[in-house]
Each structure stands twice: as C-alpha cells, then as structure tokens.
Amino acid sequence: MSSLNKLKQTPLFDYYQKQGIKLVDFGGWAMPIQFTGIIEEHQAVRFQAGLFDVSHMGEFLVEGEDAEDYLNYLLTNDLTKINVGQSQYHAMCYPDGGTIDDVIVSKLAENKYLITVNASNIEKDFKWMQEHLTGNVKLENWTSSMGLLALQGPHAESILQKLTTTALEDLPPFHFIQQVQLAEIEHVLLSRTGYTGEDGFELYIPADQTEKLWHILLEAGTEAGLKPCGLGSRDTLRLEAALSLYGHELSKEINPLQAGIGFAVKTGKQSDFIGKSALTLQRESGVKKKIRGFELTGKGIARSGCRIFSEEGEEIGFVTSGTKSPTLGKSIGLALLDTTKSHFGTTIKVEVRNKLINAVVMRTPFYRK
C-alpha cells in the first residue's frame, strides 16, 4: 500500500483499491496489468470491446500566435497539413535524430493544440518543450486535470452511440469532436484513435468525471461483452498490430526512421525541425538498422533484450518486444536488425534463456482487422 501511494495515481486509483485490483509500477504510475486475465481481455477487444484507463498519458496545451511554427520546429510531421478537428502522429527528436518521444497532436482551434505524450516521458517532454519555447506561445501541462479512457474494439462505436446524440458513424480515424455529452458527462473530447489495431475511441474528460464515465461505459457495454482491460492486453494488442512502444521500438538510440515510422517524418516540409539534418542524411544514405517483425518457429517466447543471430552465427540485432500472440497462437516479436541480413523470409536465431531458437523475419503488422 505504502509503495503504491508513492506512485502517481490516475483518477481511478481509489476504485482499484476498493475493488482489490492489483496495481504495478508502470512508468512511475500505479496501473492495473489485468482485471480478469490478459488473454480474456485481449480477445474481448478483438471480438467485442474493451475499456482501458489510460489517464497516465500526459496532455499539454500549446496555444498562441506562433503555436504552429513552434510545434513544427519541435516535431517531425507537418502540422500545416491538418485542420481543426484532426489529429496527427509525430516524433519529437534530439538533434542527432534520436527519439525523445512519439506524440499525438490534436488541433483544437487555430493556434491551439492538445499534445498527448507517453506517461514515462511527461516531465522530460515538458522540460524539452519549455527549453525550446519561442515566439508568442503558451505551454501548459494539463495532465493532472484530465482523465483519459480508451474504448476499443468492433463494438466500441455502438456502445458509445447509446450515450450520445452526436453521430459517430461518419467520424474518420484521427479526427475528433469537442464538447460531446456522454450520458450526463459533459465536455468530453471524443477522438477516433487508439493503440490496439482495432476501431475505437479515446475520451478526454475532466479528471473528477473519470470514474463516473468508467462505470457508465461498462454498464452500457454489458450486452456487447465489454470488459475492463489492463496494460497487459494493451501491450499484446499493440504488438500484434506492430505499433511502436517508447522505450522499446523508439528511444534515444532508435530514431523514427529505424523504428519504421518514417511516414511521420517529413524531411521535405518547408520548416526546419530539430533532428531534420540527421534524419535527412540517414534517409538519403539508407537506414542500416531497422525494426523488423519476426515469428519464432521453435518453442519459446522472445523477450525484450534477447540477442538475435544470423544462420551463420553473426549477431545482427536484438529483440525490442516479444510475446505469445493470443490472436494468432504464435510467438511473435519486433527487433532492431541489420537491414542487410534481415530481409523478409530470412531465417534467424533468437537467444532465449541461453538457447538459440529458430525464427523467421515477417512482414508487419502481424494482425490486421
């Protein structure tokens, strides 16, 4: 109890304690790994729906006359290409191209943006953004005042539609609606985004309304098979969809081009950005190491950090993420590999508990809805 109280807490912390939900330290936050079981929760998201507490994610507000120019200098994608009501995926980089974080930018109004950052990087990101403030820009950390719930899965839309008169059917991915009312909860920012490989929504709400909305959603989704889900199934779901996790596929040492999110790196955009020169050079000369997917053909489960070898015995990389896929029933993973020795279909060997297990390099995502 005392160790948990030293961790950061989402607005559902007291609820977890009352329900006897086991919590663990995740990026300095007290978070549930599972409610009823990782596989059961995983399958609920794939075939019905799952509800996640992701209030540990950070939210920053950036506004002001020079907000667009400021963010375009900090981030790799091109902010001039989105309109109010759209979100955009970005990396934020060091001058050498190494990744500070991957973030979602949502355009709330002209010269007003909401930045969603990874939980473990909140303080680091905010400090970096403060240090690079320029022009007429205001930067605020809204993390403590906001809750964030993710409703994911094929039944997510129908569950949510029960609670609002706002039409959801025509809302495209990476678009959002502000000031939505869900049942009696007002002022919800409803975004068609997620981290599971399924259709779904992320709901930004005032922190003090988070637990209330949690219960409303679970009740509304009972008939559709909605289940509360922890971070364990969130990880297996995102890995099947080959979505990068900061600290694994992205890091100070692994840049966005290596991570396979080059689509979010616009080296040709008009404005300069931090890391542009290094990433442009690497893009022109070719990426020598890149995140690849693999599937074990021998018995075992590859975990982060396991070394990978070529058939000839040369060490060619390491595992960044690995799991037994609940959907596919196979052991899968992502790894940073030498691009010249890891073509699709190449046989490799993964060192698992001092044994070399056969594997093959696969195209990703492993699962596509």
Side-chain angles (χ1 to χ4, degrees), residues 286-317:
V287 179
K288 296 178 175 57
K289 294 182 179 180
K290 196 165 186 178
I291 296 292
R292 304 279 203 210
F294 67 88
E295 175 189 314
L296 289 182
T297 53
K299 291 184 178 180
I301 299 177
R303 298 299 187 190
S304 177
C306 289
R307 297 190 297 169
I308 295 182
F309 298 84
S310 67
E311 280 197 291
E312 294 72 33
E314 179 185 357
E315 187 170 347
I316 60 171

PDB file of all heavy atoms in Angstrom, residues 286-317:
ATOM      1  N   GLY A 286      20.435   5.670 -46.507  1.00  0.00           N
ATOM      2  CA  GLY A 286      19.865   4.352 -46.237  1.00  0.00           C
ATOM      3  C   GLY A 286      19.946   3.982 -44.763  1.00  0.00           C
ATOM      4  O   GLY A 286      20.976   4.224 -44.116  1.00  0.00           O
ATOM      5  N   VAL A 287      18.880   3.399 -44.263  1.00  0.00           N
ATOM      6  CA  VAL A 287      18.832   3.006 -42.843  1.00  0.00           C
ATOM      7  C   VAL A 287      19.500   1.649 -42.693  1.00  0.00           C
ATOM      8  O   VAL A 287      19.090   0.676 -43.326  1.00  0.00           O
ATOM      9  CB  VAL A 287      17.369   2.942 -42.353  1.00  0.00           C
ATOM     10  CG1 VAL A 287      17.312   2.507 -40.899  1.00  0.00           C
ATOM     11  CG2 VAL A 287      16.679   4.288 -42.540  1.00  0.00           C
ATOM     12  N   LYS A 288      20.531   1.590 -41.863  1.00  0.00           N
ATOM     13  CA  LYS A 288      21.324   0.364 -41.716  1.00  0.00           C
ATOM     14  C   LYS A 288      20.748  -0.597 -40.684  1.00  0.00           C
ATOM     15  O   LYS A 288      21.019  -1.796 -40.723  1.00  0.00           O
ATOM     16  CB  LYS A 288      22.773   0.717 -41.378  1.00  0.00           C
ATOM     17  CG  LYS A 288      23.479   1.480 -42.498  1.00  0.00           C
ATOM     18  CD  LYS A 288      24.892   1.859 -42.116  1.00  0.00           C
ATOM     19  CE  LYS A 288      25.611   2.514 -43.305  1.00  0.00           C
ATOM     20  NZ  LYS A 288      24.916   3.705 -43.827  1.00  0.00           N
ATOM     21  N   LYS A 289      19.983  -0.078 -39.748  1.00  0.00           N
ATOM     22  CA  LYS A 289      19.295  -0.916 -38.762  1.00  0.00           C
ATOM     23  C   LYS A 289      17.836  -0.491 -38.717  1.00  0.00           C
ATOM     24  O   LYS A 289      17.539   0.698 -38.740  1.00  0.00           O
ATOM     25  CB  LYS A 289      19.920  -0.767 -37.368  1.00  0.00           C
ATOM     26  CG  LYS A 289      21.333  -1.286 -37.249  1.00  0.00           C
ATOM     27  CD  LYS A 289      21.842  -1.125 -35.822  1.00  0.00           C
ATOM     28  CE  LYS A 289      23.258  -1.662 -35.670  1.00  0.00           C
ATOM     29  NZ  LYS A 289      23.753  -1.499 -34.274  1.00  0.00           N
ATOM     30  N   LYS A 290      16.946  -1.476 -38.656  1.00  0.00           N
ATOM     31  CA  LYS A 290      15.526  -1.146 -38.683  1.00  0.00           C
ATOM     32  C   LYS A 290      14.725  -2.165 -37.878  1.00  0.00           C
ATOM     33  O   LYS A 290      15.125  -3.318 -37.746  1.00  0.00           O
ATOM     34  CB  LYS A 290      15.027  -1.126 -40.138  1.00  0.00           C
ATOM     35  CG  LYS A 290      13.688  -0.434 -40.322  1.00  0.00           C
ATOM     36  CD  LYS A 290      13.418  -0.131 -41.789  1.00  0.00           C
ATOM     37  CE  LYS A 290      12.154   0.698 -41.949  1.00  0.00           C
ATOM     38  NZ  LYS A 290      11.893   1.055 -43.348  1.00  0.00           N
ATOM     39  N   ILE A 291      13.599  -1.688 -37.333  1.00  0.00           N
ATOM     40  CA  ILE A 291      12.701  -2.585 -36.620  1.00  0.00           C
ATOM     41  C   ILE A 291      12.022  -3.518 -37.625  1.00  0.00           C
ATOM     42  O   ILE A 291      11.420  -3.071 -38.601  1.00  0.00           O
ATOM     43  CB  ILE A 291      11.636  -1.796 -35.835  1.00  0.00           C
ATOM     44  CG1 ILE A 291      12.288  -0.954 -34.730  1.00  0.00           C
ATOM     45  CG2 ILE A 291      10.584  -2.750 -35.259  1.00  0.00           C
ATOM     46  CD1 ILE A 291      12.906  -1.743 -33.598  1.00  0.00           C
ATOM     47  N   ARG A 292      12.148  -4.814 -37.376  1.00  0.00           N
ATOM     48  CA  ARG A 292      11.501  -5.832 -38.203  1.00  0.00           C
ATOM     49  C   ARG A 292      10.633  -6.722 -37.308  1.00  0.00           C
ATOM     50  O   ARG A 292      10.893  -6.872 -36.120  1.00  0.00           O
ATOM     51  CB  ARG A 292      12.542  -6.729 -38.874  1.00  0.00           C
ATOM     52  CG  ARG A 292      13.570  -6.001 -39.723  1.00  0.00           C
ATOM     53  CD  ARG A 292      13.023  -5.688 -41.083  1.00  0.00           C
ATOM     54  NE  ARG A 292      14.089  -5.507 -42.064  1.00  0.00           N
ATOM     55  CZ  ARG A 292      14.005  -4.717 -43.120  1.00  0.00           C
ATOM     56  NH1 ARG A 292      12.899  -4.023 -43.343  1.00  0.00           N
ATOM     57  NH2 ARG A 292      14.997  -4.600 -43.976  1.00  0.00           N
ATOM     58  N   GLY A 293       9.643  -7.334 -37.918  1.00  0.00           N
ATOM     59  CA  GLY A 293       8.854  -8.324 -37.206  1.00  0.00           C
ATOM     60  C   GLY A 293       9.448  -9.707 -37.406  1.00  0.00           C
ATOM     61  O   GLY A 293      10.111  -9.986 -38.397  1.00  0.00           O
ATOM     62  N   PHE A 294       9.214 -10.591 -36.434  1.00  0.00           N
ATOM     63  CA  PHE A 294       9.655 -11.981 -36.581  1.00  0.00           C
ATOM     64  C   PHE A 294       8.675 -12.906 -35.869  1.00  0.00           C
ATOM     65  O   PHE A 294       7.919 -12.499 -34.984  1.00  0.00           O
ATOM     66  CB  PHE A 294      11.073 -12.186 -36.030  1.00  0.00           C
ATOM     67  CG  PHE A 294      11.184 -12.030 -34.536  1.00  0.00           C
ATOM     68  CD1 PHE A 294      10.972 -13.101 -33.668  1.00  0.00           C
ATOM     69  CD2 PHE A 294      11.500 -10.795 -33.980  1.00  0.00           C
ATOM     70  CE1 PHE A 294      11.062 -12.943 -32.298  1.00  0.00           C
ATOM     71  CE2 PHE A 294      11.597 -10.629 -32.607  1.00  0.00           C
ATOM     72  CZ  PHE A 294      11.383 -11.708 -31.757  1.00  0.00           C
ATOM     73  N   GLU A 295       8.707 -14.157 -36.284  1.00  0.00           N
ATOM     74  CA  GLU A 295       7.890 -15.199 -35.662  1.00  0.00           C
ATOM     75  C   GLU A 295       8.800 -16.368 -35.309  1.00  0.00           C
ATOM     76  O   GLU A 295       9.586 -16.827 -36.154  1.00  0.00           O
ATOM     77  CB  GLU A 295       6.808 -15.653 -36.633  1.00  0.00           C
ATOM     78  CG  GLU A 295       5.957 -16.814 -36.141  1.00  0.00           C
ATOM     79  CD  GLU A 295       5.052 -17.361 -37.227  1.00  0.00           C
ATOM     80  OE1 GLU A 295       4.411 -16.531 -37.916  1.00  0.00           O
ATOM     81  OE2 GLU A 295       4.998 -18.603 -37.401  1.00  0.00           O
ATOM     82  N   LEU A 296       8.718 -16.831 -34.077  1.00  0.00           N
ATOM     83  CA  LEU A 296       9.501 -17.993 -33.679  1.00  0.00           C
ATOM     84  C   LEU A 296       8.896 -19.243 -34.304  1.00  0.00           C
ATOM     85  O   LEU A 296       7.683 -19.464 -34.240  1.00  0.00           O
ATOM     86  CB  LEU A 296       9.512 -18.144 -32.159  1.00  0.00           C
ATOM     87  CG  LEU A 296      10.312 -17.118 -31.350  1.00  0.00           C
ATOM     88  CD1 LEU A 296      10.248 -17.451 -29.870  1.00  0.00           C
ATOM     89  CD2 LEU A 296      11.753 -17.039 -31.804  1.00  0.00           C
ATOM     90  N   THR A 297       9.736 -20.052 -34.924  1.00  0.00           N
ATOM     91  CA  THR A 297       9.282 -21.332 -35.462  1.00  0.00           C
ATOM     92  C   THR A 297       9.621 -22.465 -34.505  1.00  0.00           C
ATOM     93  O   THR A 297       9.082 -23.560 -34.630  1.00  0.00           O
ATOM     94  CB  THR A 297       9.906 -21.594 -36.838  1.00  0.00           C
ATOM     95  OG1 THR A 297      11.337 -21.469 -36.740  1.00  0.00           O
ATOM     96  CG2 THR A 297       9.402 -20.582 -37.851  1.00  0.00           C
ATOM     97  N   GLY A 298      10.518 -22.186 -33.561  1.00  0.00           N
ATOM     98  CA  GLY A 298      10.817 -23.136 -32.496  1.00  0.00           C
ATOM     99  C   GLY A 298      10.059 -22.757 -31.234  1.00  0.00           C
ATOM    100  O   GLY A 298       9.392 -21.725 -31.182  1.00  0.00           O
ATOM    101  N   LYS A 299      10.137 -23.586 -30.194  1.00  0.00           N
ATOM    102  CA  LYS A 299       9.407 -23.327 -28.960  1.00  0.00           C
ATOM    103  C   LYS A 299      10.110 -22.277 -28.111  1.00  0.00           C
ATOM    104  O   LYS A 299      11.336 -22.283 -27.980  1.00  0.00           O
ATOM    105  CB  LYS A 299       9.272 -24.628 -28.159  1.00  0.00           C
ATOM    106  CG  LYS A 299       8.347 -25.646 -28.821  1.00  0.00           C
ATOM    107  CD  LYS A 299       8.167 -26.875 -27.932  1.00  0.00           C
ATOM    108  CE  LYS A 299       7.203 -27.864 -28.586  1.00  0.00           C
ATOM    109  NZ  LYS A 299       6.995 -29.080 -27.739  1.00  0.00           N
ATOM    110  N   GLY A 300       9.297 -21.386 -27.533  1.00  0.00           N
ATOM    111  CA  GLY A 300       9.851 -20.344 -26.675  1.00  0.00           C
ATOM    112  C   GLY A 300       9.138 -19.026 -26.909  1.00  0.00           C
ATOM    113  O   GLY A 300       8.342 -18.894 -27.846  1.00  0.00           O
ATOM    114  N   ILE A 301       9.403 -18.077 -26.039  1.00  0.00           N
ATOM    115  CA  ILE A 301       8.878 -16.721 -26.180  1.00  0.00           C
ATOM    116  C   ILE A 301      10.048 -15.757 -26.068  1.00  0.00           C
ATOM    117  O   ILE A 301      10.780 -15.759 -25.076  1.00  0.00           O
ATOM    118  CB  ILE A 301       7.825 -16.404 -25.102  1.00  0.00           C
ATOM    119  CG1 ILE A 301       6.634 -17.362 -25.212  1.00  0.00           C
ATOM    120  CG2 ILE A 301       7.337 -14.965 -25.238  1.00  0.00           C
ATOM    121  CD1 ILE A 301       5.580 -17.171 -24.143  1.00  0.00           C
ATOM    122  N   ALA A 302      10.240 -14.949 -27.101  1.00  0.00           N
ATOM    123  CA  ALA A 302      11.321 -13.960 -27.091  1.00  0.00           C
ATOM    124  C   ALA A 302      10.895 -12.750 -26.273  1.00  0.00           C
ATOM    125  O   ALA A 302       9.766 -12.286 -26.386  1.00  0.00           O
ATOM    126  CB  ALA A 302      11.653 -13.538 -28.514  1.00  0.00           C
ATOM    127  N   ARG A 303      11.785 -12.257 -25.450  1.00  0.00           N
ATOM    128  CA  ARG A 303      11.505 -11.085 -24.642  1.00  0.00           C
ATOM    129  C   ARG A 303      12.475  -9.962 -24.993  1.00  0.00           C
ATOM    130  O   ARG A 303      13.530 -10.189 -25.591  1.00  0.00           O
ATOM    131  CB  ARG A 303      11.629 -11.418 -23.150  1.00  0.00           C
ATOM    132  CG  ARG A 303      10.650 -12.484 -22.658  1.00  0.00           C
ATOM    133  CD  ARG A 303       9.204 -12.070 -22.833  1.00  0.00           C
ATOM    134  NE  ARG A 303       8.283 -13.022 -22.206  1.00  0.00           N
ATOM    135  CZ  ARG A 303       6.978 -13.016 -22.357  1.00  0.00           C
ATOM    136  NH1 ARG A 303       6.406 -12.109 -23.149  1.00  0.00           N
ATOM    137  NH2 ARG A 303       6.209 -13.912 -21.759  1.00  0.00           N
ATOM    138  N   SER A 304      12.109  -8.747 -24.599  1.00  0.00           N
ATOM    139  CA  SER A 304      12.938  -7.579 -24.880  1.00  0.00           C
ATOM    140  C   SER A 304      14.366  -7.804 -24.388  1.00  0.00           C
ATOM    141  O   SER A 304      14.590  -8.239 -23.265  1.00  0.00           O
ATOM    142  CB  SER A 304      12.325  -6.363 -24.186  1.00  0.00           C
ATOM    143  OG  SER A 304      13.124  -5.223 -24.382  1.00  0.00           O
ATOM    144  N   GLY A 305      15.323  -7.517 -25.274  1.00  0.00           N
ATOM    145  CA  GLY A 305      16.732  -7.648 -24.935  1.00  0.00           C
ATOM    146  C   GLY A 305      17.387  -8.918 -25.433  1.00  0.00           C
ATOM    147  O   GLY A 305      18.623  -9.009 -25.458  1.00  0.00           O
ATOM    148  N   CYS A 306      16.596  -9.910 -25.838  1.00  0.00           N
ATOM    149  CA  CYS A 306      17.187 -11.148 -26.350  1.00  0.00           C
ATOM    150  C   CYS A 306      18.011 -10.859 -27.605  1.00  0.00           C
ATOM    151  O   CYS A 306      17.573 -10.123 -28.496  1.00  0.00           O
ATOM    152  CB  CYS A 306      16.088 -12.152 -26.700  1.00  0.00           C
ATOM    153  SG  CYS A 306      15.220 -12.861 -25.284  1.00  0.00           S
ATOM    154  N   ARG A 307      19.186 -11.462 -27.670  1.00  0.00           N
ATOM    155  CA  ARG A 307      20.048 -11.244 -28.835  1.00  0.00           C
ATOM    156  C   ARG A 307      19.578 -12.081 -30.020  1.00  0.00           C
ATOM    157  O   ARG A 307      19.006 -13.149 -29.860  1.00  0.00           O
ATOM    158  CB  ARG A 307      21.495 -11.598 -28.490  1.00  0.00           C
ATOM    159  CG  ARG A 307      22.091 -10.723 -27.396  1.00  0.00           C
ATOM    160  CD  ARG A 307      23.587 -10.953 -27.267  1.00  0.00           C
ATOM    161  NE  ARG A 307      23.896 -12.333 -26.867  1.00  0.00           N
ATOM    162  CZ  ARG A 307      25.115 -12.867 -26.880  1.00  0.00           C
ATOM    163  NH1 ARG A 307      26.144 -12.133 -27.303  1.00  0.00           N
ATOM    164  NH2 ARG A 307      25.311 -14.114 -26.481  1.00  0.00           N
ATOM    165  N   ILE A 308      19.855 -11.550 -31.227  1.00  0.00           N
ATOM    166  CA  ILE A 308      19.452 -12.231 -32.454  1.00  0.00           C
ATOM    167  C   ILE A 308      20.683 -12.457 -33.336  1.00  0.00           C
ATOM    168  O   ILE A 308      21.538 -11.570 -33.479  1.00  0.00           O
ATOM    169  CB  ILE A 308      18.387 -11.427 -33.206  1.00  0.00           C
ATOM    170  CG1 ILE A 308      17.100 -11.363 -32.369  1.00  0.00           C
ATOM    171  CG2 ILE A 308      18.098 -12.036 -34.579  1.00  0.00           C
ATOM    172  CD1 ILE A 308      15.966 -10.628 -33.027  1.00  0.00           C
ATOM    173  N   PHE A 309      20.743 -13.649 -33.932  1.00  0.00           N
ATOM    174  CA  PHE A 309      21.882 -14.044 -34.749  1.00  0.00           C
ATOM    175  C   PHE A 309      21.409 -14.487 -36.131  1.00  0.00           C
ATOM    176  O   PHE A 309      20.283 -14.944 -36.305  1.00  0.00           O
ATOM    177  CB  PHE A 309      22.637 -15.210 -34.086  1.00  0.00           C
ATOM    178  CG  PHE A 309      23.207 -14.869 -32.740  1.00  0.00           C
ATOM    179  CD1 PHE A 309      22.416 -14.955 -31.601  1.00  0.00           C
ATOM    180  CD2 PHE A 309      24.519 -14.447 -32.616  1.00  0.00           C
ATOM    181  CE1 PHE A 309      22.931 -14.636 -30.359  1.00  0.00           C
ATOM    182  CE2 PHE A 309      25.045 -14.125 -31.368  1.00  0.00           C
ATOM    183  CZ  PHE A 309      24.246 -14.212 -30.241  1.00  0.00           C
ATOM    184  N   SER A 310      22.307 -14.353 -37.109  1.00  0.00           N
ATOM    185  CA  SER A 310      22.045 -14.881 -38.439  1.00  0.00           C
ATOM    186  C   SER A 310      22.239 -16.396 -38.410  1.00  0.00           C
ATOM    187  O   SER A 310      22.729 -16.961 -37.422  1.00  0.00           O
ATOM    188  CB  SER A 310      23.001 -14.265 -39.456  1.00  0.00           C
ATOM    189  OG  SER A 310      24.329 -14.705 -39.194  1.00  0.00           O
ATOM    190  N   GLU A 311      21.858 -17.058 -39.490  1.00  0.00           N
ATOM    191  CA  GLU A 311      22.063 -18.508 -39.569  1.00  0.00           C
ATOM    192  C   GLU A 311      23.541 -18.866 -39.483  1.00  0.00           C
ATOM    193  O   GLU A 311      23.902 -19.951 -39.016  1.00  0.00           O
ATOM    194  CB  GLU A 311      21.478 -19.045 -40.873  1.00  0.00           C
ATOM    195  CG  GLU A 311      19.977 -19.244 -40.839  1.00  0.00           C
ATOM    196  CD  GLU A 311      19.494 -20.146 -41.960  1.00  0.00           C
ATOM    197  OE1 GLU A 311      19.558 -19.711 -43.127  1.00  0.00           O
ATOM    198  OE2 GLU A 311      19.062 -21.272 -41.660  1.00  0.00           O
ATOM    199  N   GLU A 312      24.396 -17.896 -39.895  1.00  0.00           N
ATOM    200  CA  GLU A 312      25.841 -18.149 -39.854  1.00  0.00           C
ATOM    201  C   GLU A 312      26.442 -17.882 -38.476  1.00  0.00           C
ATOM    202  O   GLU A 312      27.638 -18.074 -38.270  1.00  0.00           O
ATOM    203  CB  GLU A 312      26.548 -17.275 -40.889  1.00  0.00           C
ATOM    204  CG  GLU A 312      26.217 -17.614 -42.344  1.00  0.00           C
ATOM    205  CD  GLU A 312      24.820 -17.198 -42.760  1.00  0.00           C
ATOM    206  OE1 GLU A 312      24.333 -16.162 -42.237  1.00  0.00           O
ATOM    207  OE2 GLU A 312      24.212 -17.900 -43.579  1.00  0.00           O
ATOM    208  N   GLY A 313      25.623 -17.386 -37.536  1.00  0.00           N
ATOM    209  CA  GLY A 313      26.110 -17.166 -36.178  1.00  0.00           C
ATOM    210  C   GLY A 313      26.546 -15.751 -35.878  1.00  0.00           C
ATOM    211  O   GLY A 313      27.040 -15.469 -34.788  1.00  0.00           O
ATOM    212  N   GLU A 314      26.351 -14.830 -36.825  1.00  0.00           N
ATOM    213  CA  GLU A 314      26.733 -13.434 -36.594  1.00  0.00           C
ATOM    214  C   GLU A 314      25.609 -12.715 -35.838  1.00  0.00           C
ATOM    215  O   GLU A 314      24.434 -12.835 -36.189  1.00  0.00           O
ATOM    216  CB  GLU A 314      26.972 -12.738 -37.933  1.00  0.00           C
ATOM    217  CG  GLU A 314      27.363 -11.272 -37.800  1.00  0.00           C
ATOM    218  CD  GLU A 314      27.483 -10.588 -39.151  1.00  0.00           C
ATOM    219  OE1 GLU A 314      27.310 -11.262 -40.188  1.00  0.00           O
ATOM    220  OE2 GLU A 314      27.740  -9.356 -39.156  1.00  0.00           O
ATOM    221  N   GLU A 315      25.974 -11.969 -34.796  1.00  0.00           N
ATOM    222  CA  GLU A 315      24.974 -11.224 -34.053  1.00  0.00           C
ATOM    223  C   GLU A 315      24.502 -10.049 -34.910  1.00  0.00           C
ATOM    224  O   GLU A 315      25.300  -9.221 -35.341  1.00  0.00           O
ATOM    225  CB  GLU A 315      25.542 -10.707 -32.730  1.00  0.00           C
ATOM    226  CG  GLU A 315      24.497 -10.060 -31.838  1.00  0.00           C
ATOM    227  CD  GLU A 315      25.005  -9.773 -30.430  1.00  0.00           C
ATOM    228  OE1 GLU A 315      26.084 -10.284 -30.049  1.00  0.00           O
ATOM    229  OE2 GLU A 315      24.321  -9.021 -29.711  1.00  0.00           O
ATOM    230  N   ILE A 316      23.191  -9.958 -35.140  1.00  0.00           N
ATOM    231  CA  ILE A 316      22.669  -8.955 -36.076  1.00  0.00           C
ATOM    232  C   ILE A 316      21.614  -8.030 -35.464  1.00  0.00           C
ATOM    233  O   ILE A 316      21.072  -7.166 -36.149  1.00  0.00           O
ATOM    234  CB  ILE A 316      22.065  -9.626 -37.331  1.00  0.00           C
ATOM    235  CG1 ILE A 316      20.916 -10.572 -36.958  1.00  0.00           C
ATOM    236  CG2 ILE A 316      23.147 -10.363 -38.120  1.00  0.00           C
ATOM    237  CD1 ILE A 316      20.140 -11.090 -38.157  1.00  0.00           C
ATOM    238  N   GLY A 317      21.342  -8.179 -34.168  1.00  0.00           N
ATOM    239  CA  GLY A 317      20.366  -7.284 -33.553  1.00  0.00           C
ATOM    240  C   GLY A 317      19.838  -7.813 -32.242  1.00  0.00           C
ATOM    241  O   GLY A 317      20.395  -8.759 -31.661  1.00  0.00           O
TER     242      GLY A 317
END
